[in-house]
Amino acid sequence: MHRQPEDRQEDSVDAAQAVHEKFLGALANGTLARRADAPDPARAGLTRSDATDIFLSQLTSRQMDRLSRTLQARGEGFYTIGSSGHEGNAAVAAALRVTDMAFLHYRSNAFQLHRARQLPGQTPDWDMLLSFAASAEDPISGGRHKVIGSKPLAIPPQTSTIASHLPKAVGAAFSIGIARRLGMCGLPLPEDAVVLASFGDASANHSTAQGAFNTAGWSAFQGTPLPLIFLCEDNGIGISTRTPTGWIEAQFRHRAGLHYIQCDGTDLVTAYAGAKEAADFARRTRKPVFLHMGTVRLYGHAGSDVQGAYLPKALIEADEARDPLLAGAALMVEQGWMSAAEVADAYEEIGATLARQAEAAIHRPKLTTAAAVMESLVPPKIDRPPANRPSTDERTAMFAGDANQMDKPMHMARLLSWALADLMLAYPEIVVAGEDVGPKGGVYNVTAKLHQRFGSARVINTLLDEQAILGLAIGMAHNGFVPMPEIQFLAYVHNAEDQIRGEAATLSFFSNGQYTNPMVIRIAGLGYQKGFGGHFHNDNSLAVFRDIPGVILAVPSNGRDAVQMLRECVRLAREEQRVVVFVEPIALYMTRDLHEEGDGLWTSAYEAPGEGTPIRLGDVGVHGDGTDLAIVTYGNGTYLSRQAEKLLAADGVKARVIDLRWLGPVDADKLIAAVGEAKRVLIVDECRITGSQSEALMALFTERTPEKKLARIAAEDSFIPLGKAATVTLPSRDSIYAAAKELLA
């Protein structure tokens, strides 16, 4: 059915101004009235002082929304997704403690404004105006984005979140119970803290949100402590798509593992009562709560959105009649705490003060250089407690039957398993988590015996959900842990890549280095498995990691390197707060021989902590010193290139094989130095020719060493098939040899 032009009220009248005038009109006309069933503030535990403070935070939030649109119209402001109609979340802030970490969605200005009232010395109005103006002095993002967030207020910044912040909120809440079990002290979250995650009703439908709800319920169903409040601010619409009436309640009132509480966010007292009940329940029982708060969305989705284009006039007016400021003003007048005139004066004075502050904020310094913008991509280094120094007897006791094997040559999987055990013994904040990593020891036995050695609080069997696994890690990192989540296969990470790209990697950038989530993400991947798996278990693309700013990508080719690189990855996470992806080539896990059966050339004895030569970020591996040809490769390519090198040597070709080890970032100077005097460079890349690292390497050598002759060989632009054809699209020993001979010709 087509709506008639007269239903489009906002085409001719600015929506924000219309709501503003209705509020002032109600104050002037004496038409304020609370609902007949509105609760008494005293019964909800609200004092005059507390209620008045909440209401003033709501007034301030509203005036900020109006000002944001004015600033945008002038070209001085850059964000207009407002909180008008959602000011009830100020009452949620009042019901929580400043130390309760809050992961907030973008309509939560009132929450932050009111939480700031609870901590002396805060200047939230000025801080938010700097954020509106994208000033480099914005204390949370440094002018990189308008975000709600504050380090002193325990509000990690979120950007235009849909639901991607919910998994990490689950992880943060989960970490509180783990910290208590392990006796860890001095962490960012107190042991009696509660975690809050807010979102809209439309976002509740997102697969990421559903995964978070399921994870929380799944954990709570088994008795796992999880003091978490899911705050659904239900305004009944997502941009222009209506949420069916009753949908949220029908979905969550009886959901397993979640305690459901409902309240009206348009009424200050009701909102506070519901929030207090939720906070008390979560804190007392250590179980997750779903707080369903009814709200309205005034003005539309953002500054350019005209609600009249998709909503009937009657519905828009019904929502405006439920304006939380009207209910709040009615409460003030009814209780005799403020007169209507005093409310109007306070509202206008707040607006005038903000306007004056805005004129100063828009002239504060902006980011003007690429270097300034990128300064926070890499987190700052921190001082961590030194590693434990377990005695020989302690290590022997931990490894037990393995101890007498550690001086014998072993394959990569076994060496990694021992390295993980040593790391967990040295650093009590390390937690391993993933599908089947517990008693089973992982799909490839890399986490074997870790559960037996360190228990279920540090070796966590997760449910089958990659978003939940990575969210768990991000949230635990917020609370001082160094997580090592495992993704079973490289292809599976695509189900959850936004948890790395949109959440983990951006946090330092958007918080100006104040918030970080260091971790080492272990992923079994790449091709060359013989006769098993097809493309879901032989994914040969690393592009998803390489184009994420700030993420470190490591790919070892042999067991000895894998051990030393894993230790460096943990150092990078612990001391430099980096997000590291450690891709373990599946086909090389159990590989022992290089040229012929029984030669054992791809095995190594285990180097205990402090033994061997460390491999630092950017260090490349070099085998040979030939100057005829340099083969630049990594992972399985290193293994195959070493085989091809032997064939070339039989032909009199003096070659060297360079193992990149670190694919992101590549240390260009070290790589070029490793190539040295070699006249020709062959790049061997097991990833697909389009979008692979070989493209960047070709560009690098062309720009930096134009005198050298270049060629590359990479996998075909194809998925990997099942069975005996599993390697036909990939580089091989013989194809590398042939490409080298052609380049030499």
Side-chain angles (χ1 to χ4, degrees):
M1 186 174 88
H2 296 287
R3 283 191 291 273
Q4 298 302 310
E6 60 267 26
D7 287 337
R8 298 182 58 168
Q9 86 165 32
E10 294 165 302
D11 286 356
S12 58
V13 179
D14 178 79
Q17 184 64 18
V19 172
H20 168 69
E21 290 173 359
K22 285 184 179 181
F23 177 58
L24 291 178
L27 292 172
N29 299 332
T31 56
L32 295 168
R34 294 187 77 203
R35 290 193 336 239
D37 61 345
D40 177 63
R43 292 185 62 185
L46 263 181
T47 65
R48 172 179 181 170
S49 175
D50 289 341
T52 304
D53 280 350
I54 295 171
F55 182 58
L56 291 174
S57 296
Q58 293 179 323
L59 293 179
T60 305
S61 179
R62 178 64 57 84
Q63 289 287 32
M64 277 194 168
D65 277 2
R66 297 184 61 239
L67 185 57
S68 72
R69 291 168 179 249
T70 302
L71 292 174
Q72 186 194 50
R74 292 170 50 187
E76 302 285 5
F78 306 96
Y79 197 82
T80 57
I81 296 182
S83 302
S84 294
H86 284 249
E87 290 91 353
N89 54 46
V92 181
L96 293 171
R97 302 171 184 169
V98 174
T99 52
D100 292 331
M101 188 169 282
F103 297 87
L104 304 176
H105 84 326
Y106 45 62
R107 300 196 192 278
S108 301
N109 271 19
F111 182 101
Q112 178 160 322
L113 289 168
H114 193 69
R115 175 166 280 193
R117 289 178 177 269
Q118 300 165 291
L119 187 67
Q122 298 299 298
T123 55
D125 302 3
W126 175 245
D127 296 347
M128 284 194 179
L129 289 171
L130 289 172
S131 189
F132 283 147
S135 168
E137 295 177 348
D138 165 23
I140 186 60
S141 77
R144 293 170 182 83
H145 203 283
K146 190 277 175 188
V147 293
I148 292 168
S150 167
K151 183 67 172 179
L153 301 178
I155 305 175
Q158 317 302 313
T159 56
S160 296
T161 49
I162 302 303
S164 57
H165 59 308
L166 268 61
K168 64 183 177 184
V170 175
F174 181 83
S175 74
I176 298 171
I178 295 297
R180 179 182 288 187
R181 285 178 61 184
L182 296 174
M184 299 176 69
C185 302
L187 299 180
L189 290 172
E191 68 172 24
D192 63 346
V194 168
V195 173
L196 175 77
S198 65
F199 52 95
D201 51 289
S203 297
N205 299 307
H206 199 281
S207 63
T208 311
Q210 290 293 323
F213 302 142
N214 184 66
T215 302
W218 183 83
S219 301
F221 189 78
Q222 302 175 84
T224 303
L226 204 75
L228 173 65
I229 300 173
F230 287 119
L231 172 60
C232 180
E233 299 184 25
D234 184 358
N235 61 29
I237 194 167
I239 304 184
S240 66
T241 303
R242 300 282 301 281
T243 297
T245 302
W247 172 249
I248 296 297
E249 181 177 359
Q251 283 285 299
F252 293 99
R253 180 174 282 281
H254 302 294
R255 189 149 183 164
L258 295 185
H259 180 67
Y260 178 87
I261 297 173
Q262 192 173 42
C263 68
D264 182 1
T266 66
D267 180 83
L268 185 157
V269 178
T270 310
Y272 176 78
K276 190 172 186 304
E277 181 185 353
D280 290 347
F281 180 89
R283 206 179 307 278
R284 183 182 75 255
T285 67
R286 319 307 291 166
K287 293 180 179 179
V289 179
F290 189 94
L291 178 57
H292 182 194
M293 176 179 282
T295 63
V296 292
R297 189 191 73 185
L298 306 176
Y299 308 172
H301 176 67
S304 60
D305 185 37
V306 180
Q307 290 197 110
Y310 52 81
L311 291 179
K313 180 178 180 180
L315 181 58
I316 294 172
E317 291 180 342
D319 280 351
E320 290 177 353
R322 295 177 58 214
D323 183 347
L325 265 58
L326 291 173
L331 171 68
M332 295 294 118
V333 174
E334 175 190 274
Q335 295 293 318
W337 294 339
M338 297 176 75
S339 67
E342 288 172 332
V343 171
D345 289 344
Y347 179 67
E348 296 286 24
E349 182 179 348
I350 289 168
T353 300
L354 289 174
R356 288 193 300 270
Q357 290 179 306
E359 292 307 312
I362 62 178
H363 295 294
R364 300 310 301 162
K366 307 290 197 295
L367 295 171
T368 57
T369 67
V373 170
M374 298 167 63
E375 189 176 14
S376 62
L377 278 173
V378 174
K381 297 180 181 180
I382 59 171
D383 291 327
R384 285 270 195 177
N388 292 335
R389 296 296 180 191
S391 66
T392 301
D393 289 343
E394 287 175 314
R395 288 190 69 248
T396 301
M398 180 184 72
F399 284 115
D402 291 343
N404 58 10
Q405 302 181 55
M406 295 178 118
D407 59 348
K408 298 178 175 60
M410 293 289 170
H411 54 63
M412 184 191 294
R414 178 65 60 85
L415 296 174
L416 279 173
S417 180
W418 289 339
L420 284 166
D422 262 327
L423 286 164
M424 294 185 73
L425 185 62
Y427 304 113
E429 67 271 29
I430 289 180
V431 171
V432 170
E435 301 163 31
D436 305 311
V437 298
K440 177 180 171 62
V443 175
Y444 294 99
N445 218 34
V446 177
T447 58
K449 300 183 182 178
L450 292 183
H451 186 270
Q452 170 189 332
R453 289 164 176 160
F454 298 101
S456 59
R458 295 189 64 195
V459 183
I460 303 167
N461 263 348
T462 66
L463 70 175
L464 199 156
D465 180 359
E466 284 73 27
Q467 292 185 122
I469 294 169
L470 294 174
L472 172 71
I474 297 170
M476 294 194 77
H478 271 78
N479 198 25
F481 288 86
V482 177
M484 297 185 73
E486 176 182 291
I487 303 297
Q488 282 190 349
F489 292 99
L490 179 58
Y492 295 1
V493 82
H494 301 301
N495 298 324
E497 62 189 51
D498 183 58
Q499 288 297 303
I500 303 174
R501 177 191 302 276
E503 293 296 335
T506 62
L507 185 61
S508 177
F509 181 69
F510 284 125
S511 69
N512 208 16
Q514 297 172 82
Y515 277 103
T516 59
N517 33 221
M519 66 187 69
V520 180
I521 305 167
R522 294 181 43 254
I523 305 175
L526 300 173
Y528 295 100
Q529 294 188 75
K530 294 179 174 62
F532 170 73
H535 72 282
F536 280 108
H537 300 89
N538 287 268
D539 189 4
N540 64 325
S541 174
L542 299 172
V544 66
F545 308 119
R546 292 178 55 250
D547 79 337
I548 305 176
V551 166
I552 293 171
L553 175 59
V555 184
S557 66
N558 61 82
R560 188 257 166 204
D561 282 9
V563 169
Q564 296 293 349
M565 289 173 67
L566 186 63
R567 290 173 182 156
E568 172 68 355
C569 289
V570 169
R571 187 197 69 79
L572 289 164
R574 287 189 78 249
E575 300 176 13
E576 301 188 19
Q577 305 193 88
R578 303 298 296 271
V579 175
V580 185
V581 176
F582 189 77
V583 177
E584 301 163 9
I586 297 171
L588 298 176
Y589 268 147
M590 311 297 177
T591 298
R592 292 180 172 274
D593 306 322
L594 176 59
H595 297 301
E596 57 190 28
E597 187 175 350
D599 67 20
L601 293 177
W602 218 248
T603 60
S604 305
Y606 180 64
E607 294 177 340
E611 296 178 355
T613 303
I615 297 175
R616 299 303 186 193
L617 176 62
D619 288 352
V620 298
V622 182
H623 178 82
D625 57 4
T627 57
D628 294 336
L629 173 70
I631 302 176
V632 178
T633 185
Y634 62 92
N636 291 289
T638 301
Y639 178 76
L640 297 169
S641 295
R642 290 283 303 276
Q643 293 178 332
E645 177 200 20
K646 183 177 181 180
L647 300 180
L648 291 167
D651 292 344
V653 176
K654 297 177 181 178
R656 65 181 68 183
V657 176
I658 298 170
D659 185 353
L660 287 169
R661 294 173 171 159
W662 308 94
L663 273 61
V666 171
D667 190 317
D669 292 336
K670 288 182 179 179
L671 175 57
I672 290 171
V675 169
E677 299 302 315
K679 303 176 182 63
R680 299 168 181 82
V681 177
L682 174 64
I683 297 165
V684 175
D685 194 335
E686 63 185 285
C687 288
R688 298 191 280 273
I689 195 165
T690 300
S692 67
Q693 35 280 346
S694 66
E695 293 178 331
L697 292 170
M698 288 290 285
L700 170 65
F701 285 114
T702 299
E703 293 168 357
R704 295 281 298 270
T705 59
E707 73 281 1
K708 296 186 186 298
K709 190 175 180 182
L710 305 175
R712 67 169 168 155
I713 178 173
E716 300 290 342
D717 285 339
S718 170
F719 297 111
I720 294 175
L722 187 65
K724 295 182 179 180
T727 61
V728 298
T729 63
L730 305 174
S732 66
R733 179 200 66 177
D734 293 342
S735 65
I736 296 169
Y737 171 79
K741 295 291 285 186
E742 183 176 348
L743 179 60
L744 289 161

